[in-house]
Every structure is written in structure tokens, then in C-alpha cells.
Amino acid sequence: QVQLVESGGGLVQHGGSLRLSCAASGFTWDSYGIGWFRQAPGKEREGVSCISSSDGATVYADSVKGRFTISRDNAKNTIYLQMNSLKSEDTAVYYCAITSRERLCFRDYAMDVWGKGTLVTVSS
């Protein structure tokens, strides 16, 4: 059974930084895509960033490019999202998700398993 456990959310001031972690376990796919999505109050869930297992290719939402960085520790089966220069519009519940369809990562419908989410609140 695939499990994803997020951590690292919290309250941060405008312009501050946070690092989210997602520990993955129980999957046996040879290749996969894993990444971060977020849902702000009253808004639809959106993709933030994804990373491919086979070649480390990454993708980012335009709204976070240059501020957020996704990375992975293969030995720990953990991915991270370093978030810098945080803005109030980054306030959301952040979800980790994984898909066996590696190249479809970043597409909500393609994700196979979701974490429970971690709340990030950016105060102005």
C-alpha cells in the first residue's frame, strides 16, 4: 500500500521560507512522478511542482518559478519543496501526490495516491 506523509507546513511571514517534506513508502513502480499540489481556500487544487524518478526532470507552476525548488533524496524515498519569498497567495493546504504514469505528473487526474496535506499559512 502506497503511503505519502507530508510535513513541514506552518505559519510564516511574507517573504519568509519553508521546506516541505514528503516521505513515500510502499510503491514498487520502476518509474514514477511525484510532486506537490495545493488548494487555497475557495479555489480548485492546482499543481505546484513535480519531479520524475527516471531522469529528475522537474516542472513548476508559473506562479512559483524562481521561488520554489523541488528536490529528492532517493535513498530516503523523500521529496522536498523549498519555498522561498513566500507570498500571501501561497497560503494553502499542500498535498504530496504520486503517479505511476511518470510523464503525466502535474495532472491532477493522473495522480494515483495522495497524502493528507499540510497547511502553509503566509501572513502579510
Side-chain angles (χ1 to χ4, degrees):
Q1 181 179 354
V2 180
Q3 288 189 319
L4 303 172
V5 179
E6 304 102 332
S7 61
L11 176 64
V12 63
Q13 289 187 335
H14 177 90
S17 299
L18 276 178
R19 189 177 80 155
L20 305 182
S21 301
C22 173
S25 62
F27 62 93
T28 58
W29 306 313
D30 292 332
S31 64
Y32 57 90
I34 185 169
W36 296 93
F37 293 73
R38 69 185 180 185
Q39 187 166 23
K43 294 187 177 181
E44 293 188 355
R45 189 164 56 194
E46 63 175 354
V48 176
S49 182
C50 270
I51 188 166
S52 298
S53 66
S54 58
D55 58 7
T58 58
V59 62
Y60 294 92
D62 288 343
S63 59
V64 306
K65 283 181 181 177
R67 300 188 298 122
F68 291 11
T69 302
I70 191 170
S71 62
R72 60 181 179 173
D73 183 333
N74 290 335
K76 295 181 179 180
N77 281 339
T78 299
I79 65 166
Y80 305 95
L81 185 68
Q82 178 66 44
M83 306 186 293
N84 298 327
S85 302
L86 283 162
K87 307 174 182 180
S88 56
E89 51 262 45
D90 295 317
T91 294
V93 177
Y94 284 71
Y95 298 92
C96 180
I98 191 169
T99 176
S100 57
R101 294 167 285 182
E102 184 180 24
R103 298 306 177 191
L104 293 183
C105 192
F106 210 70
R107 288 164 175 77
D108 197 292
Y109 68 85
M111 309 312 287
D112 294 306
V113 179
W114 294 82
K116 293 182 179 180
T118 184
L119 177 62
V120 172
T121 303
V122 183
S123 63
S124 57

